[in-house]
């Protein structure tokens, strides 16, 4: 069934919010954008929109209701906000004790709690991939280079480590080469981790001689897929190339990709593989 | 029983090799130092010594036997050598296929394999803490500040995550605050991880407002305690302070510390806690 109510997009940074908005528009569905102040770019300003401070849940709820939204999508990257430096509004103050509990814990915990606030107001939370399934990484290789059997073993090892960290809400991404995990993603994010790997190669702290290492990304077990799937885009591939990695492996169907054609062009230009695998690391074509 | 044969110290970088040598000397035991070329500093040049390239196991074995060593201690930090850029000698070439297998895998795997080479030559491998037990972190707080109940919960959470990663031979150290793990140690090492945390605070990628975060370090399960215990020293405390952390918690009896008095002075100067805990995160005095 198609829903004629505007799709409310609560937008952080990056290119995903626009991708979602354009898909909805192409489907003939109106869009109402709630742009997070200081975080979302200008990309959605062509659509009906408001800008709201990140702590101001009451204002977001009022705006979404005023625009007639029933469905909301949370999309775009977000540096974890600091409860004490955002300007809370009444709704936020009402829920302050609960917010404080939310902030004690990892990002999943925080996001799930915020999602609950909107659901209690009667909104339906959609996953980005529900609106735009073409954003999901497919199974198998996208670029010309294919992972070797060696690579497949590294990918499985990395996915195992990510799964082991799942209960701790950290480590959605890792860099691994020759069965050795050399970098684990924390608050610095995937880009920061890849920049670190490039720097460690330059300083010879990481003294790999030839292209070695794979970026492996997977959703954390129990992660709310409506809120925070791992995501890759052209910048990810570019940074992986700068770190002289062999390729990128992400869990198919659980990783969002923006601008796939551009990603493939960059991967082929640098000779990287770019493969969607199952949670055990198997790729249909490998 | 005291052994009058010289203690062979295969020395990497940092202050631990000298601490071990001086303890042995104070115990009346002669020392013979095998300094790794390009890695070990001049600290041990006051003792009988040779400098040997890191790949040259045959030369190390000949030197140790020539000096009459029966016991060897591996000590000091080591940036993982690159098999292909070290100059292997005959012994190394003899064991090349085995070395290649060793290099496929994490550091534990590599170190254990190298240790095996020396044991097969009849040497006894001693742990640094066997020679100098005073280097082991004790249980309880060393500095004036004490961890809070909140801190204790973070410490336990971090130790759990380190244990979960154990089978993957990575993540001996983490930084965690308010139950959120923000950094996991990879090939960059503890210092690199702490510098990253300081940078993330400056860039507000990590937007903690007050002193928050704890450096937690623990040996990986199954780690060979003769070869690679976690270690802390004054530089660790200094970097933790620069990252505006609340303190440092390490597993007592399984963490080496160099220059404890200086560490405590720095910790007290910055108001950091410095506590030895059991593997579950409990400290006798907390």
């Amino acid at each position: 069934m198609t829903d004629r109510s505007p799709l409310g997009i609560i937008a952080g940074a990056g290119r995903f919010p626009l991708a979602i908005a354009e898909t909805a528009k192409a489907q003939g569905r109106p869009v109402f954008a709630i742009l997070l102040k200081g975080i979302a770019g200008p990309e959605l300003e062509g659509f009906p929109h408001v800008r709201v401070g990140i702590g101001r849940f009451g204002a977001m709820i009022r705006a979404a209701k005023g625009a007639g939204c029933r469905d909301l999508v949370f999309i775009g990257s977000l540096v974890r906000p600091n409860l004490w430096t955002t300007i809370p509004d009444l709704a936020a103050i009402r829920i302050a004790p609960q917010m404080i509990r939310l902030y004690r814990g990892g990002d999943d915990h925080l996001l799930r709690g915020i999602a609950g606030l909107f659901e209690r107001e009667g909104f339906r939370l959609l996953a980005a991939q529900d609106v735009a399934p073409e954003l999901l990484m497919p199974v198998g290789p996208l670029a010309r280079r294919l992972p070797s059997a060696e690579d497949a073993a590294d990918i499985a090892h990395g996915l195992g480590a990510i799964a082991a960290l799942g209960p701790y809400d950290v480590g959605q991404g890792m860099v691994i080469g020759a069965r050795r995990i050399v970098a684990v993603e924390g608050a610095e994010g995937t880009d920061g981790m890849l920049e670190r790997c490039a720097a460690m190669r330059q300083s010879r702290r990481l003294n790999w001689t030839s292209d070695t290492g794979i970026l492996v990304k997977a959703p954390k077990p129990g992660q709310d897929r409506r809120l925070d799937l791992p995501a890759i885009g052209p910048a990810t591939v570019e940074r992986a190339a700068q770190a002289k990695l062999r390729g990128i492996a992400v869990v198919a169907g659980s990783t969002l990709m923006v601008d796939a054609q551009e990603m493939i062009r960059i991967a082929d230009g640098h000779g990287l593989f770019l493969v969607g695998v199952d949670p055990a690391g198997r790729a249909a074509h490998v």
Side-chain angles (χ1 to χ4, degrees), chain A residues 25-183:
Chain A
K25 186 179 169 191
Q27 294 165 354
R29 182 163 190 185
V31 164
F32 179 72
I34 296 172
L35 309 178
L36 296 179
K37 228 176 243 171
I39 298 173
E43 297 81 5
L44 287 185
E45 286 173 352
F47 294 85
H49 68 278
V50 289
R51 282 201 174 263
V52 178
I54 190 161
R56 314 199 59 236
F57 300 109
M60 294 180 202
I61 288 162
R62 278 192 303 278
K65 285 183 173 172
C69 299
R70 285 196 296 275
D71 297 342
L72 296 179
V73 175
F74 285 63
I75 186 71
S77 58
L78 194 65
V79 172
R80 181 188 178 86
N82 182 325
L83 183 57
W84 311 117
T85 55
T86 53
I87 304 131
D89 61 14
L90 281 175
I93 286 167
R94 226 172 31 241
I95 55 146
Q98 166 179 6
M99 289 299 296
I100 291 163
R101 277 194 304 278
L102 292 180
Y103 272 78
R104 200 174 294 130
D107 290 343
D108 291 359
H109 187 205
L110 175 66
L111 284 167
R112 229 183 265 107
I114 292 174
L117 300 179
F118 286 88
E119 287 176 324
R120 278 191 292 284
E121 294 287 339
F123 293 102
R124 181 171 65 147
L125 248 59
L126 300 182
Q129 60 273 24
D130 296 338
V131 178
E134 70 275 13
L135 292 179
L136 282 178
M137 180 77 177
V139 173
L142 288 184
R144 273 197 301 274
R145 185 180 194 170
L146 301 181
S148 66
E150 243 329 90
D151 295 328
D154 278 343
I155 292 165
H157 189 78
L159 289 173
I162 292 173
L165 270 186
Y168 296 93
D169 194 10
V170 66
Q172 216 177 14
M174 300 198 181
V175 174
I176 176 170
R179 225 76 82 249
R180 177 180 179 228
I181 296 164
V182 296

